[in-house]
Amino acid sequence: MGFVYIAFILLQSLSGTRDWSVQATVSWILSEYFGRKNISIVAEEDVQTLSTPDSRSLLSAVVKTVNECLAEAPKYGLQSPARELGTSEILEAISRCNSTGGPTGRHWVLDPVDGTLGFVRGDQYAVALALIENGEVILGVLGCPNYPLKKECFHYHYKVSTPKLLLQPCSDTLEKGCVIYAKKSCNGAWMQPLVHGDKKLEWPNSASLIQVSSIDDPAHAIFCEPVEKRNSNHSFTAGLAHSVGLRKQPLRVYSMVKYAAIARGDAEIFMKFARTGYREKIWDHAAGVIIVEAAGGVVTDAGGRPLDFSKGVYLEGLDRGIIVCSGPILHEKIIGAVYASWDSSNL
Ligand SMILES: *[C@@H]1O[C@H](CO)[C@@H](O)[C@H](O)[C@H]1NC(C)=O
Ligand SMILES: *[C@@H]1O[C@H](CO)[C@@H](O)[C@H](O)[C@H]1NC(C)=O
Ligand SMILES: *[C@@H]1O[C@H](CO)[C@@H](O)[C@H](O)[C@H]1NC(C)=O
């Protein structure tokens, strides 16, 4: 798990180079570990933009960042490269992540920075890595550098223009940042706080089990959804929320931190209804799904079927939207409400 942790150190200190730097770093480490010829990585970034003459300074920043990051690898029980990696090795590491997944074999699935807008705004974002074996997610890791460790630390931000709650990061860096992970053969989902600054670094030093919330009364449940309207139909989810008796304001959160919030019991429901024609990508969900399920939650499409990670880069056959719940009672209610309200909407 150390490699995801490394990705963080790097995330804390840079801006423009982040996606490529994280992808190059994770790709390099996985390739060293499992053998370059023997690894399939599905990831968001391609190498085109970085290879143009205009991107020379961006590329050299990526090279510098990746090398700085990999130099820290031994702190996490991993090996650094024998010498600094050159430009071509780094471009190669990025372009190696060109797999399209599929129903057979093992595929790593990486979203180097999920929630770019959240990152830019100093709000929530995640590094997401999952392993799919014969179409099934068997490992998921979510790094959430701005996620408050304790629920009491949440700052609900009441914006005048959009009168809804936003999950804001804590101002005290010692109180935020965690890596959440789950593995198929092991019971449960785990959370490891992120170590900052001069604190003694040990990995994994203090991981603890996390669990979904036990609330099953909609009147007390909190639901999360994407911050941006273009990623999910807010008026449709508001209608669903009303019809199942949800009373609280939605918690709008950037990135896969929404899955983390359900797994950790900070919220009970996550609903997403993308516009017609939008195809959900596997890297935006794989890690979150296995983590929520391992923590005791339920994840399906709006028709109640499990998400299918075996069809390549996209979640093919997804029925309307994604419903993530802390337990079966809430899940059944939401699915029922989708059926009841679907005909009357023009989604
Ligand atoms: C390649 O990976 C498979 C499992 O996915 C493993 O059985 C095999 O030994 C690996 N080969 C090398 C050269 O690492
Ligand atoms: C992926 O990139 C490698 C070079 O990095 C290349 O050898 C391979 O053919 C590419 N595969 C696909 C599916 O494009
Ligand atoms: C969002 O859902 C509402 C129904 O709840 C529907 O009237 C509206 O057309 C939808 N908007 C889009 C962009 O799909």
Side-chain angles (χ1 to χ4, degrees), residues 55-176:
S55 313
R56 212 163 286 153
S57 66
L58 176 61
L59 179 57
S60 61
V62 169
V63 171
K64 181 167 175 283
T65 307
V66 172
N67 279 305
E68 282 168 5
C69 173
L70 288 172
E72 306 270 298
K75 283 191 188 168
Y76 308 99
L78 296 162
Q79 279 204 329
S80 292
R83 40 162 195 86
E84 290 216 336
L85 301 182
T87 305
S88 61
E89 288 163 295
I90 283 172
L91 286 174
E92 207 268 323
I94 296 169
S95 64
R96 206 181 296 147
C97 307
N98 60 354
S99 167
T100 51
T104 56
R106 286 182 149 210
H107 306 283
W108 293 89
V109 178
L110 173 70
D111 194 342
V113 178
D114 181 47
T116 304
L117 201 55
F119 176 87
V120 170
R121 294 182 173 170
D123 205 307
Q124 299 305 320
Y125 66 101
V127 177
L129 183 67
L131 180 59
I132 293 177
E133 187 176 67
N134 299 329
E136 187 190 5
V137 187
I138 59 165
L139 170 75
V141 189
L142 268 185
C144 314
N146 279 341
Y147 194 36
L149 292 179
K150 301 190 205 88
K151 201 175 179 177
E152 305 83 76
C153 194
F154 288 8
H155 298 280
Y156 292 101
H157 189 74
Y158 197 82
K159 275 199 174 172
V160 180
S161 55
T162 49
K164 295 287 144 56
L165 302 170
L166 286 169
L167 181 61
Q168 294 283 317
C170 291
S171 48
D172 182 350
T173 55
L174 295 177
E175 294 295 328
K176 68 177 186 182

Side-chain angles (χ1 to χ4, degrees), residues 4 22 48 55 86 104 110-111 118 128 130 134 139 178 187 189 209-210 215 222 244 267 301 303 306 316 327 339 343:
V4 173
V22 175
Q48 255 63 23
S55 313
T104 56
L110 173 70
D111 194 342
N134 299 329
L139 170 75
C178 57
N187 285 331
L209 269 173
I210 54 168
I215 291 173
I222 295 177
V244 299
D301 65 16
E316 300 292 358
Y339 274 101
D343 291 343

Side-chain angles (χ1 to χ4, degrees), residues 7-39:
F8 282 131
I9 299 169
L10 158 160
L11 276 165
Q12 319 258 328
S13 59
L14 47 117
S15 51
T17 73
R18 63 198 178 264
D19 305 55
W20 288 290
S21 302
V22 175
Q23 187 162 316
T25 304
V26 174
S27 166
W28 190 84
I29 292 174
L30 288 176
S31 304
E32 285 296 297
Y33 211 86
F34 296 102
R36 177 162 319 210
K37 295 260 159 7
N38 199 18
I39 193 159

Side-chain angles (χ1 to χ4, degrees), residues 245-267:
L246 291 166
R247 298 225 187 95
K248 305 202 177 193
Q249 292 271 32
L251 187 59
R252 296 210 170 129
V253 184
Y254 290 105
S255 84
M256 287 167 90
V257 168
K258 289 183 280 293
Y259 282 101
I262 304 297
R264 231 177 54 169
D266 296 332

